[in-house]
Amino acid sequence: MDCIFCKIVNKEAPSEIIYEDAEAVIFKDIHPKAPVHFLVVPKQHIVSVASDGSERIIGNLIRVVKKIALEKKVGDYKLVFNVGEEAGQTVPHLHLHFLAGGSELKI
Ligand code: AMP
Ligand code: ZN
């Protein structure tokens, strides 16, 4: 399957992975929109929040985010899911944006 995030998960494409476990990886966004911008990505290919069965996977992504925020001592952060092209989803593999950087985060 020609999915860039599956390729990153399988180490077939380069990325700066900062965390990995059996179910998820976190890597730096290639075009950061905040001083800290990570993508939290399930290893399983699933298109988006709207996909059947996404709830368990999303719960796990949140668990991983909380762990990394504690480890990296990031107290305040923004989490974003883009769901569908019209909402700005460009990569059809579920991912959670983790953004941090204080005052630069206002939308
Ligand atoms: P979205 O617009 O919600 O689908 O977000 C996709 C994000 O993936 C964007 O912020 C891109 O900058 C990022 N992105 C796309 N390709 C790569 C890549 N090869 N490595 C890291 N981040 C990427
Ligand atoms: Zn994929």
Side-chain angles (χ1 to χ4, degrees):
M1 195 196 306
D2 196 26
C3 169
I4 182 63
F5 287 179
C6 281
K7 286 184 178 158
I8 288 173
V9 163
N10 294 321
K11 315 281 165 59
E12 292 162 0
S15 70
E16 272 192 72
I17 292 180
I18 63 141
Y19 173 84
E20 177 167 12
D21 66 21
E23 290 192 51
V25 293
I26 304 180
F27 52 88
K28 293 187 180 175
D29 195 293
I30 202 166
H31 295 124
K33 284 130 196 121
V36 175
H37 188 176
F38 301 146
L39 297 171
V40 189
V41 176
K43 288 190 168 178
Q44 180 184 332
H45 182 89
I46 176 171
V47 172
S48 80
V49 169
S51 303
D52 287 345
S54 66
E55 292 84 352
R56 189 199 62 79
I57 292 169
I58 289 164
N60 185 57
L61 298 184
I62 301 287
R63 182 187 63 77
V64 166
V65 160
K66 289 168 74 173
K67 181 181 159 82
I68 286 303
L70 275 178
E71 270 180 32
K72 302 252 175 225
K73 298 187 169 50
V74 179
D76 296 346
Y77 50 87
K78 188 186 295 292
L79 300 175
V80 176
F81 286 110
N82 291 324
V83 186
E85 279 179 41
E86 281 189 23
Q89 185 175 3
T90 59
V91 178
H93 180 133
L94 178 68
H95 53 280
L96 177 56
H97 294 265
F98 176 99
L99 303 133
S103 57
E104 294 173 54
L105 276 182
K106 292 196 179 71
I107 57 168

